[in-house]
Amino acid sequence: MTGEDATVVLLVDVSGSMRANDVEPTRLDAAVAAMKTFLSKIPSRYQVGLVDFSSSTEVLMPPTTDRNAINEALAYLLPETGTAIGDGLDTAVKLAKASLAQSGVQPNGKQIPAAIVLLSDGAQNRGSIQPLAGAREAKKAGIRVYTVALGTQHGVVTFGFGQYLNSIPVPPDPTTMTQIARLTGGKTFTAASASQVSDVYKTLGSQIGRRKERRSIGAWFAGGAALALLGAGAAGIALGPRLP
C-alpha cells in the first residue's frame, strides 16, 4: 500500500487549560495556527480529519482532502472542561480505520497508511478509556501516534476577579505523551512556545510524501519527526495538577 490513500487525523486537546497564555497568545490559539501550517504543507491528496477532546470527544471534520473545510472547522475549537486523552485516541483510531476502509484498506497487524497527530497540554482526568489503552488500540490497528506536549511548567489559568481571583497551575504531561508515541512507534515532542509547536507541525507536514519513492506514511512521519526533534528545540515539562 502506498501513501496515495493515506489518512491523517489531527487530535487536539480542548480542555480548560488550553486557555493558558504561557504559550502566546494562548495554548489553543498557538495549536490552531500550527495545525493550519500543517495543512498547508501536507500533500493535497491526503485525507485529513479533525477530532477534539475535553471531557468527551467530537469529530469536527471526517477525513477529507478539502483543506478549506478543515480550516473552517478549526475555528470551532474552544477551551471546554476536562481531559479525556484515551477517549480521544479511541475516536481518532476508529475514524482513521473507517476512512481507509472506504479505500479498501483493512488493519492486518502491520503498519497501514494512517497516522494520528495528538496534541495535549495536561494529564488525563476524564473519560472511560485510559491513554495507554487508547494507544494499544492504535498499535493494534497499525497506526502510529505522534504526540506533542504543549505548555510550560509555569502555566496557569486564572479565574474570578478581585479578592476572588484564583490561579490554577496547568503544566503539561510529557510522560504520558512519550509513552503513547513509544507504544505505537511514533515520535514525541515538547513545545513551550508558539514558534516551537509551529516548527513541529510544519516539519511533519512538509516531510510527508516528499520522497519520490513509494513509501508508507509511517516512514514519512518517522523522517519528519526526527528532523522536528532537531528543529523544535523544545524542553521537556514536568508533570503537575490539571484543571478539573
Side-chain angles (χ1 to χ4, degrees):
M1 181 69 192
T2 70
E4 296 298 323
D5 299 311
T7 293
V8 181
V9 177
L10 296 173
L11 178 59
V12 58
D13 186 343
V14 291
S15 58
S17 56
M18 287 291 282
R19 64 169 58 92
N21 61 6
D22 56 330
V23 178
E24 296 181 345
T26 68
R27 291 178 179 180
L28 185 55
D29 288 331
V32 168
M35 286 185 284
K36 288 183 176 180
T37 298
F38 178 87
L39 292 172
S40 71
K41 297 296 182 180
I42 191 171
S44 59
R45 65 185 182 275
Y46 289 169
Q47 303 269 346
V48 180
L50 177 64
V51 175
D52 70 9
F53 65 92
S54 56
S55 293
S56 59
T57 66
E58 182 178 10
V59 177
L60 289 179
M61 181 58 60
T64 178
T65 57
D66 187 343
R67 300 295 185 255
N68 288 332
I70 306 172
N71 274 304
E72 290 176 3
L74 287 170
Y76 291 95
L77 294 175
L78 296 171
E80 297 181 14
T81 52
T83 307
I85 298 171
D87 290 20
L89 278 170
D90 181 68
T91 298
V93 168
K94 290 176 178 175
L95 188 64
K97 288 167 62 178
S99 174
L100 290 175
Q102 294 179 356
S103 302
V105 180
Q106 297 292 339
N108 58 6
K110 300 179 181 179
Q111 291 294 320
I112 60 176
I116 296 169
V117 181
L118 162 63
L119 180 144
S120 182
D121 75 332
Q124 170 145 320
N125 54 29
R126 294 290 190 278
S128 60
I129 301 173
Q130 291 301 307
L132 294 187
R136 283 191 287 271
E137 286 302 308
K139 180 181 180 181
K140 182 179 178 181
I143 301 173
R144 297 188 186 211
V145 182
Y146 297 83
T147 61
V148 183
L150 179 65
T152 71
Q153 60 182 335
H154 306 297
V156 297
V157 173
T158 302
F159 295 93
F161 58 91
Q163 62 179 328
Y164 301 105
L165 194 65
N166 185 30
S167 293
I168 301 175
V170 288
D173 182 6
T175 299
T176 297
M177 294 296 100
T178 298
Q179 291 171 339
I180 291 169
R182 184 175 298 163
L183 181 58
T184 62
K187 297 290 183 180
T188 190
F189 312 94
T190 57
S193 69
S195 62
Q196 287 173 352
V197 70
S198 178
D199 284 345
V200 171
Y201 278 85
K202 180 179 180 180
T203 305
L204 287 174
S206 63
Q207 288 298 310
I208 298 171
R210 174 177 290 181
R211 301 191 181 194
K212 293 182 179 179
E213 66 269 24
R214 292 178 177 268
R215 301 189 64 182
S216 71
I217 192 171
W220 285 322
F221 259 101
L227 290 176
L229 268 175
L230 296 175
I237 308 300
L239 289 171
R242 274 298 308 272
L243 281 175

